[in-house]
Amino acid sequence: MDERLEERVTEAVLRKLTAQAPAALCVGAWPAEDLGYRPAGDGPYEAVLIGSLTAGELLCFSQPQVWDALLSGKPVYLWEGGLGYRTAAGTAPRALWARLMAAERSLRQIGVRFYGGPARRPLITAPEARRLLSQQRPLPPGAILTPLARDVLGGRVP
């Protein structure tokens, strides 16, 4: 088959699929994963996608589009890959990290659906934290730390 014909057919199929996908309003950056929605622009939308949030935005969450969507029964999705502050899990002060996790739980409780995170978040215990320190290896992305592991990585416990 001619390559140009293949390209035109592929483009036509993609245009048709995109045109049929429901519209979504995006807050932050557009998620890297496809959730089956197309950008709504200024038009009506059927869902809200939160593509990125900083720690400050999460702690002072005030997105009127999200509140309006939840009140009207529209789905709201948060792409976990856009939560850049999660890379600071091993270095953030315990009190700050607790506030961030509480803010995430609050979003879940009001109906925000998280998606696209790692399928398995590794649990780092104190012995594993000591091993990572001795080998000078970074924490795995999205790792969950036990309180003692956080102390070990923070230099409070040998």
Side-chain angles (χ1 to χ4, degrees):
M1 186 185 269
D2 184 6
E3 279 186 39
R4 289 183 186 169
L5 178 59
E6 283 181 33
E7 288 175 18
R8 286 190 306 212
V9 169
T10 302
E11 288 173 12
V13 169
L14 288 175
R15 272 195 311 273
K16 186 156 181 102
L17 287 174
T18 302
Q20 292 175 348
L25 177 69
C26 185
V27 175
W30 188 262
E33 293 183 21
D34 181 21
L35 198 60
Y37 289 94
R38 63 180 167 77
D42 293 333
Y45 55 91
E46 297 177 35
V48 173
L49 302 178
I50 304 170
S52 61
L53 277 179
T54 66
E57 290 169 335
L58 176 63
L59 293 174
C60 301
F61 193 76
S62 62
Q63 295 290 336
Q65 307 93 329
V66 171
W67 302 124
D68 291 344
L70 289 168
L71 287 170
S72 66
K74 293 178 183 176
V76 176
Y77 300 97
L78 189 148
W79 180 53
E80 291 187 69
L83 302 177
Y85 61 84
R86 284 188 175 174
T87 60
T91 57
R94 193 180 296 180
L96 174 59
W97 192 252
R99 286 190 60 195
L100 288 167
M101 295 300 100
E104 282 189 19
R105 277 192 304 278
S106 293
L107 287 179
R108 281 186 170 93
Q109 290 170 344
I110 63 171
V112 175
R113 302 172 197 169
F114 285 55
Y115 75 97
R120 182 177 169 267
R121 294 174 58 192
L123 176 67
I124 305 297
T125 60
E128 178 69 11
R130 287 186 187 97
R131 187 181 66 75
L132 289 172
L133 278 175
S134 70
Q135 296 174 353
Q136 298 181 347
R137 291 180 46 209
L139 283 172
I144 300 170
L145 299 174
T146 64
L148 188 54
R150 190 177 308 279
D151 288 345
V152 167
L153 293 171
R156 296 185 203 121
V157 173

